Each structure stands twice: as structure tokens, then as C-alpha cells.
Amino acid sequence: MAIENPQPGTRIEKWKVFRDVCQARERLGIQDRALAVLDALLTFHPHAELDPSHGLVVFPSNAQLSVRAHGITETTLRRQLAALVDAGLILRRDSPNGKRYAHRNRDGEVEQAYGFDLTPLLARAMELALMAQDVAAERVRFRRAKEALTICRRDVRKLISAAVEEGVTGNWERVEAAYIGILSRLPRHPDRMQVEITLDEMELLREEVLNILELQLKTENMHGNAGQNACHIQNSNTESINELEPGSEKERAESAVADIRPTSMSPKRAKAKPEPIKAFPLGMVLRACPQIADYGPGGRIEHWRELMKAAVVVRSMLGVSPSAYEEACNAMGPENAAVAIACILERSNFITSAGGYLRDLTRRSERGEFSLGPMLMALMKVSGDSNRKTA
């Protein structure tokens, strides 16, 4: 009824409708060959707009259509024309003898035409536009779900690897098996719902891994081991500049050597060999230290190189000397030094001297007494508590 009695004054730009049909092709159940045929049909309509007053029936021969549809065979042409009719995009207007032609008046204007009617495109223009917008939005949701799954999967993989390498207590074989099982259930070509289900499962596994690490951290805090650094960063406002700046470095070094050597050993033999600090997942670092992202390009950080560039900017802002930062890079590695700067920025309101604090962490790292894990976990816990209070 809408096709036979279109609303008066209705008109639409024909190529806009064609773009909407292309966007919604899968929803309409047509192939790309059918789009080529529809494109060819629209080229036979002499006006830029579909307007009932100008006539919407085109009557090209199969030979002419084949040429404009990039030379497809007549068999394929007939099949795709039928598909366009079945999809409700065109109508057949058959003549008594089955041919396509038009009757014209003395002025050459078309009075009656037999061929393919483009009126359905005009009548369904709004429906096709909404369908195209929904398809575009669905594609965006699908892409974001896949990106989130990739980041979450990468975080879980790195957390498991870091935990195994650090010797953290836990049934990591079971966690590894759960990780592999979640990914194995994802089809080779999944849809958005399947990706989102996998993402939910992977996020739950990530939370479980973080809970295991947090429980381990609490256990170490109870025994006064690795948790000392977490307490140190939260209570550093009680330290003075004289305690952290290089002025008393000699005395602290002598004291540190005295603490770790037996009375009968020389300082050279008693010096502890520093252990390498493991790099943690970037996502974990950014959750623990969200402020560092403000100093990345465009106010965001997406990979380690951007984090290290942002750390150089923050280092200068906090008043950390280039030599102190260089020493930290040599002792910890450039990635971990950047993470240390991010942690200091996060607690800068409670740290009297950022430069002295970094030098102290550097010396602890050289003695093998420093780990980023407890520091990051403490900051993540503080950040989580803040978010819950805000909510």
C-alpha cells in the first residue's frame, strides 16, 4: 500500500538510499553482486532524486544492465534481479509481451513504462536508513568488545607468567587450564554475543588472579616481608628531605652493608646481588596509577613506549634530576623506572622529596630488596576503595 500510494512530496537522494542498502546488505539477505545490479539500475534513472512525479520505472535491456553491472553473465543477472525483488527493493512492472519498454507522448515524456520500479526504495528510505545506522552501531560494539577481550586476555596471560616467574603461591596450572579453556570455547569466527560471553569469563578469571595476588600480598604483609614497600609509599610523608636526599648516602650505604653481612665477612663479599625486577602488564600499571595517563599523547597511554615518554615529563615536573632517573633506569630497567615514577606521581601528595624517594628505591633495587608488585597492589587497592566510595 505504501508503494502504490506514496506520500505526496516524498523524495530522497538515490545514492544515499543506495549507501544505506550497502550498509544493511547482510540484514537484507543480498550479495555484493546484487548491489552491483542495483547500482546499474539506479544509473538508468535520469534524476539525482527518487521522486514519484518524475516516474520511477527504469526499463533497460539485460544487455545494457550487464554492461553497467561490470559485465556479469545473463544467468547471474537474472538471479540477482530476483534477489532484489525478494528483498523488497524493486518491483517488476511487466508488459503484455514480457518486454521492457515505455510509451511516450508527442513531447517525448514517458506516459507508461514497463520494467523495474524503484518506488520501494523511496517508500522504505527511512527504514533502510535506520537499519544502516543499527548495523554501523553493531559493528562498533563488536569491534570494542573484541578490543576489550584482547586487552583482558593479554593482562591475564602476563599476570600468570609474572606470578609463575616470581614463584607466587597458587594453583597456577588450574588457572592456566581455565585460561586455555575459555579461549578454546570461542569460535573461529565469533559474533558479538560470543565475544562478550568470552570477555565476561576472562574478566572473572582476571579478578580471580588479582585476588590470589592480593591475598599473597596480605600474607607477606603479615610476615613483614615484601609488604614493607607498600607501607613505605603510603607513609612516606613522615620522612624528611635529609633522610632521602644524597647528603647522607654514605651513611645509609654503610648501614645497609652492616645489616646484610656477617660480622666476620668483608663488605665486598657481603654485598647482595640485585635480582631483576619483572615487568608487569601495562593494564595493571594504568589501573594502579591512572594519573600518569594524563601525560601521555592525547591524554592516554596505549603501550610501554608512551608510558616511558610520559614518565620523562612527570620526572621533570616532580623535580627528579636526570641523573637520579638515569640511575633508576640502570638499576630497574627503563620500563620499571617509568612505573616507579608513575607510582610516585600517584602518591606525590604524601612524598616530601620525589627525587630522594626515587634514589632510595634505586638503592633498594641494587641490593635486591625492592619489588614493584606490592607497591602496585597497594595502589590498586587504594584506587578500588576510592572508586567504591565515589560510587
Side-chain angles (χ1 to χ4, degrees):
M1 291 175 60
I3 292 171
E4 295 297 335
N5 300 290
Q7 295 182 1
T10 303
R11 61 180 64 183
I12 192 70
E13 202 272 311
K14 64 181 182 181
W15 297 119
K16 181 182 182 302
V17 178
F18 179 72
R19 288 192 295 272
D20 291 339
V21 172
C22 292
Q23 189 87 311
R25 175 177 66 86
E26 294 182 359
R27 296 269 185 98
L28 294 169
I30 57 177
Q31 302 176 352
D32 52 355
R33 292 279 183 96
L35 294 177
V37 174
L38 181 60
D39 176 77
L41 286 172
L42 289 173
T43 62
F44 285 101
H45 183 67
H47 303 284
E49 293 183 333
L50 298 178
D51 187 343
S53 63
H54 294 153
L56 295 177
V57 178
V58 294
F59 40 91
S61 65
N62 282 352
Q64 291 173 317
L65 267 179
S66 177
V67 170
R68 296 199 186 183
H70 311 295
I72 63 176
T73 64
E74 184 169 345
T75 302
T76 303
L77 177 64
R78 292 179 183 277
R79 186 166 60 250
Q80 301 307 327
L81 284 170
L84 291 173
V85 173
D86 292 340
L89 298 176
I90 60 173
L91 284 177
R92 296 183 187 271
R93 299 294 184 185
D94 293 330
S95 65
N97 61 3
K99 301 292 184 179
R100 301 175 202 143
Y101 60 88
H103 293 299
R104 300 178 184 271
N105 58 22
R106 292 183 178 181
D107 297 328
E109 296 177 351
V110 176
E111 291 183 335
Q112 181 69 41
Y114 299 98
F116 298 104
D117 193 346
L118 303 177
T119 305
L121 292 174
L122 177 63
R124 300 181 64 188
M126 181 61 69
E127 175 195 351
L128 293 171
L130 294 175
M131 190 182 301
Q133 292 175 9
D134 187 55
V135 169
E138 175 67 19
R139 287 176 181 170
V140 171
R141 290 193 293 267
F142 188 26
R143 185 178 69 251
R144 290 179 178 174
K146 289 196 295 184
E147 291 173 352
L149 176 58
T150 299
I151 294 173
C152 185
R153 175 181 58 80
R154 191 181 302 157
D155 284 352
V156 173
R157 175 71 274 164
K158 290 184 177 181
L159 282 170
I160 294 174
S161 299
V164 172
E165 291 175 4
E166 294 287 349
V168 178
T169 303
N171 190 353
W172 299 112
E173 290 80 5
R174 183 189 65 80
V175 176
E176 178 79 16
Y179 172 80
I180 296 174
I182 291 173
L183 293 180
S184 65
R185 290 191 291 273
L186 186 67
R188 185 176 181 84
H189 300 288
D191 56 26
R192 180 176 62 86
M193 293 298 297
Q194 292 169 326
V195 171
E196 289 182 345
I197 291 173
T198 304
L199 175 60
D200 290 340
E201 293 178 348
M202 192 63 71
E203 286 179 339
L204 288 175
L205 182 61
R206 181 172 63 184
E207 290 298 322
E208 180 180 352
V209 173
L210 290 174
N211 287 337
I212 294 173
L213 296 176
E214 185 176 356
L215 180 61
Q216 179 74 10
L217 173 62
K218 291 180 178 178
T219 303
E220 292 178 352
N221 285 339
M222 290 176 61
H223 293 83
N225 293 328
Q228 292 176 358
N229 284 306
C231 298
H232 183 57
I233 192 170
Q234 295 182 53
N235 299 320
S236 58
N237 59 324
T238 61
E239 298 173 347
S240 66
I241 297 178
N242 293 330
E243 290 175 333
L244 290 174
E245 284 299 329
S248 57
E249 182 174 348
K250 181 178 178 181
E251 291 82 350
R252 288 197 305 278
E254 292 175 352
S255 174
V257 170
D259 289 340
I260 63 175
R261 70 182 181 189
T263 55
S264 60
M265 297 181 65
S266 65
K268 289 184 178 180
R269 293 182 59 189
K271 186 175 182 180
K273 183 178 179 180
E275 293 290 334
I277 304 175
K278 307 297 182 183
F280 288 83
L282 180 59
M284 177 181 177
V285 173
L286 295 179
R287 285 195 300 274
C289 310
Q291 294 185 44
I292 192 70
D294 296 337
Y295 300 90
R300 58 189 301 178
I301 292 175
E302 297 181 347
H303 48 76
W304 280 102
R305 184 174 298 276
E306 292 180 352
L307 177 65
M308 289 187 286
K309 289 181 179 179
V312 173
V313 176
V314 173
R315 186 274 303 167
S316 177
M317 183 191 73
L318 293 175
V320 177
S321 66
S323 61
Y325 188 60
E326 183 179 358
E327 291 174 4
C329 290
N330 293 335
M332 307 177 188
E335 293 88 355
N336 291 298
V339 174
I341 288 290
C343 292
I344 293 174
L345 173 65
E346 202 67 27
R347 305 295 292 172
S348 58
N349 292 338
F350 305 98
I351 296 177
T352 306
S353 170
Y357 189 82
L358 183 62
R359 288 185 185 275
D360 184 62
L361 296 183
T362 300
R363 286 188 293 275
R364 289 171 179 267
S365 177
E366 291 172 345
R367 298 197 300 266
E369 299 174 356
F370 173 65
S371 174
L372 280 170
M375 183 182 294
L376 289 172
M377 289 299 177
L379 288 174
M380 287 182 68
K381 188 174 187 304
V382 171
S383 177
D385 292 342
S386 298
N387 292 335
R388 285 193 292 270
K389 289 177 182 179
T390 302

